[in-house]
Amino acid sequence: MTIVSKAATYYVDSEKGNDELSGQSDTQAWKSLQKVNSVKFMPGDRVLFKRGGIWHGQLAPKGNGTAEKLLTFSVYGKGALPVIAADGKFQDAVLLKNISNLLFEFFDVSNTDTSVQEQHTGPVGVRILSEDTGTISNIRLSGLYVHDINGDNKKGSKEGNGIFWDCRGPKPSNIENLIIENCKLLRVDRNGIRGNGTFAFRNNWFPNKNLVIRGCTLEDIGGDGIVIKAFDGALVERNKLFYIRTRAKDNAVGIWPHSSDHTIIQYNEVAFTKNVNWANDGQSFDIDGNCNNTIIQNNYSHDNEGGFMLVISDAIDEKSRMTTNSIIRNNLSVNDGNNRRRLFNFALVTDHTHVSGNIFYNQSTEPFKMELIDIEHGIPKDIVFEDNLFLYRVGVIGMFTKSTEQYHAVTWKNNVFKGNIKGKSNLLQVTEAKSNSVSNKNFNEYPWMFLKSLNLKN
């Protein structure tokens, strides 16, 4: 392994480069991924790949930056993003193992094995790996195009991932201050952006800390879109997710945390999540098991076949606590749940869920009945719906059909129900609405700006 002692800029050119050269100018550029992988880089180093270049194989760099001097992998020249194509020959097209203070930006990454329909090896586009090292920190992925990963779509298998964080032992290891921004993910099986939960059990709790996923676009994702896994402190905002769960037959959702605390999911658009087989999921959002203090706010959700929201706990034991302290507020949901025919799903026993200031609107022409608040596999504790608008028009009928025992868990304050809604007399603990209307919303703010195109009025 070559160890470079002074910060420098290195160039890599797949066509005209030469690994025998210094790499320290565009006329002395290196050629191969193997050369880059053989060097241990220093703080402040910049490794620039030529735009328009194509590399087949795996990029697995070594080295670290510092907070003041990042280790940077980026581009030079003009043209298309430099391509890193693993072609199914490596599990990870890009492996960022035990690297701190890193900027990785502007690459085209794929991992397709064209000889098989599905890879059963867990193929990944970009993996951030903290293994037997303690904490790695300050990692930024920006401007990546991650696409065409033909992994297994079965949950719990060797499923594929676009961008994946991974923590392994035996020494407890985690990731702090991870930013994933302005990336595009397309045609990924099974998951768009997610991580593992090696140290996410409460009896072995060593969570990752401080995640930001911002400004990303995910489209045609076979299973789950964005999964916040094993993080204490995550912000997921201003992303667009279209056509999620397009091939998976088991549970999958647009955006959801699991085994995570203090998660904020806001200003996202989630649309066209599929539920063609009447499975349990297919919602735009989910607050899943072993989560505490989750806020889902100011999102635009529409045309998600499985519904708007799932709130659920895992089995409650020493490893997994009850899902608690969930806030769902100021979201706009339009035509969600039309295939699974439910809007909300509360499953197993959760505690303290506050749903406020949302608009739930359905104008679908097909005549069918939709359960607005489905409660199953247990009785949740302390659900409050406050200051929400339920507007169901044209064909769909919103229904409240659950039992008295189930509805004892839900308190209703100042909500408005208009249009085709039946079963309101079944609700308990209801305070009548005094004032609540579409006109109360600021049409210049997200997501209420979309009300203009809907021509939505009370």
Side-chain angles (χ1 to χ4, degrees):
M1 179 189 299
T2 303
I3 299 178
V4 181
S5 59
K6 183 179 179 181
T9 298
Y10 299 91
Y11 298 81
V12 192
D13 183 339
S14 65
E15 291 187 357
K16 297 181 179 180
N18 185 334
D19 289 344
E20 300 302 317
L21 301 177
S22 70
Q24 294 192 24
S25 72
D26 57 354
T27 60
Q28 295 285 310
W30 294 331
K31 184 179 182 68
S32 71
L33 296 178
Q34 291 84 350
K35 178 63 178 181
V36 176
N37 294 343
S38 72
V39 176
K40 185 174 182 180
F41 294 103
M42 302 296 293
D45 282 351
R46 300 167 68 236
V47 185
L48 306 182
F49 285 67
K50 188 174 182 179
R51 283 182 174 270
I54 299 175
W55 288 263
H56 293 275
Q58 181 188 62
L59 175 60
K62 302 175 182 67
N64 284 285
T66 65
E68 296 77 22
K69 297 181 178 180
L70 298 180
L71 173 57
T72 299
F73 288 78
S74 190
V75 301
Y76 74 99
K78 297 181 180 180
L81 297 178
V83 171
I84 310 293
D87 303 323
K89 294 179 171 61
F90 297 86
Q91 185 180 32
D92 310 307
V94 177
L95 175 59
L96 307 174
K97 179 180 178 180
N98 294 345
I99 301 177
S100 291
N101 301 299
L102 170 71
L103 172 60
F104 188 84
E105 62 180 0
F106 307 131
F107 286 88
D108 175 321
V109 180
S110 64
N111 196 347
T112 302
D113 184 346
T114 58
S115 68
V116 297
Q117 183 175 356
E118 290 184 346
Q119 299 183 64
H120 298 285
T121 57
V124 173
V126 180
R127 184 187 302 264
I128 308 102
L129 175 59
S130 180
E131 183 175 26
D132 197 30
T133 191
T135 298
I136 63 172
S137 64
N138 193 21
I139 300 160
R140 182 187 296 263
L141 309 183
S142 182
L144 305 179
Y145 175 39
V146 181
H147 61 100
D148 295 296
I149 298 173
N150 60 331
D152 194 332
N153 273 303
K154 185 178 180 181
K155 184 186 285 286
S157 66
K158 290 285 188 177
E159 55 202 77
N161 296 277
I163 298 174
F164 187 71
W165 59 86
D166 191 3
C167 301
R168 304 176 187 172
K171 179 179 180 178
S173 299
N174 73 344
I175 301 167
E176 295 186 359
N177 305 316
L178 171 61
I179 298 175
I180 302 169
E181 63 180 4
N182 302 323
C183 296
K184 181 176 181 178
L185 291 93
L186 179 65
R187 295 185 300 273
V188 176
D189 291 327
R190 178 181 186 270
N191 309 303
I193 302 173
R194 69 159 292 160
N196 78 359
T198 303
F199 302 103
F201 294 123
R202 296 294 171 172
N203 60 348
N204 189 28
W205 182 243
F206 191 57
N208 306 300
K209 295 182 179 180
N210 305 325
L211 168 69
V212 176
I213 302 174
R214 176 188 293 135
C216 297
T217 299
L218 290 78
E219 188 169 353
D220 192 7
I221 306 299
D224 288 299
I226 296 175
V227 185
I228 305 97
K229 188 83 169 179
F231 258 95
D232 187 354
L235 175 64
V236 181
E237 65 176 4
R238 303 190 188 282
N239 304 286
K240 294 181 180 293
L241 287 80
F242 304 132
Y243 298 100
I244 308 301
R245 197 181 178 271
T246 52
R247 285 168 290 280
K249 303 301 182 185
D250 47 22
N251 297 346
V253 172
I255 305 177
W256 56 286
H258 182 268
S259 294
S260 293
D261 294 345
H262 307 104
T263 302
I264 298 175
I265 299 169
Q266 63 183 9
Y267 303 112
N268 303 284
E269 181 178 359
V270 183
F272 312 115
T273 305
K274 296 301 179 181
N275 186 307
V276 297
N277 61 337
W278 200 262
N280 285 330
D281 287 4
Q283 297 94 339
S284 43
F285 301 102
D286 163 23
I287 302 174
D288 213 278
N290 200 23
C291 286
N292 187 35
N293 292 317
T294 303
I295 299 175
I296 296 181
Q297 62 184 5
N298 301 100
N299 299 284
Y300 179 35
S301 168
H302 62 95
D303 304 290
N304 298 283
E305 293 181 351
F308 169 66
M309 177 65 60
L310 167 65
V311 184
I312 187 172
S313 284
D314 291 336
I316 309 302
D317 55 28
E318 64 176 1
K319 293 183 177 181
S320 180
R321 67 167 54 161
M322 183 184 298
T323 295
T324 59
N325 302 316
S326 303
I327 296 174
I328 302 159
R329 64 190 177 197
N330 301 326
N331 302 284
L332 174 60
S333 166
V334 178
N335 297 338
D336 284 330
N338 285 357
N339 198 67
R340 186 59 177 81
R341 301 190 179 179
R342 64 182 176 191
L343 183 66
F344 271 82
N345 180 207
F346 292 91
L348 301 172
V349 181
T350 60
D351 197 7
H352 299 304
T353 303
H354 191 225
V355 184
S356 66
N358 305 282
I359 293 179
F360 306 111
Y361 178 60
N362 199 304
Q363 58 182 357
S364 302
T365 58
E366 184 181 354
F368 60 82
K369 298 177 181 179
M370 179 186 296
E371 191 71 51
L372 295 178
I373 311 296
D374 195 10
I375 300 172
E376 59 182 0
H377 309 309
I379 306 298
K381 303 176 182 179
D382 190 24
I383 300 171
V384 177
F385 278 79
E386 185 172 9
D387 296 327
N388 302 286
L389 278 72
F390 293 80
L391 286 79
Y392 274 59
R393 294 176 173 163
V394 193
V396 180
I397 301 173
M399 303 291 294
F400 293 104
T401 69
K402 309 310 288 186
S403 70
T404 298
E405 181 184 12
Q406 289 168 316
Y407 282 144
H408 267 302
V410 188
T411 300
W412 299 87
K413 300 179 180 179
N414 198 38
N415 298 280
V416 169
F417 305 94
K418 289 198 172 184
N420 305 326
I421 296 178
K422 296 184 178 180
K424 289 182 290 182
S425 61
N426 294 327
L427 301 180
L428 307 174
Q429 306 169 113
V430 177
T431 302
E432 293 296 328
K434 297 179 180 178
S435 63
N436 203 342
S437 69
V438 173
S439 61
N440 292 342
K441 305 297 185 182
N442 185 338
F443 281 31
N444 294 317
E445 294 180 349
Y446 198 98
W448 312 125
M449 61 183 64
F450 296 103
L451 294 173
K452 299 176 184 178
S453 61
L454 294 170
N455 195 27
L456 181 56
K457 301 177 182 178
N458 274 5

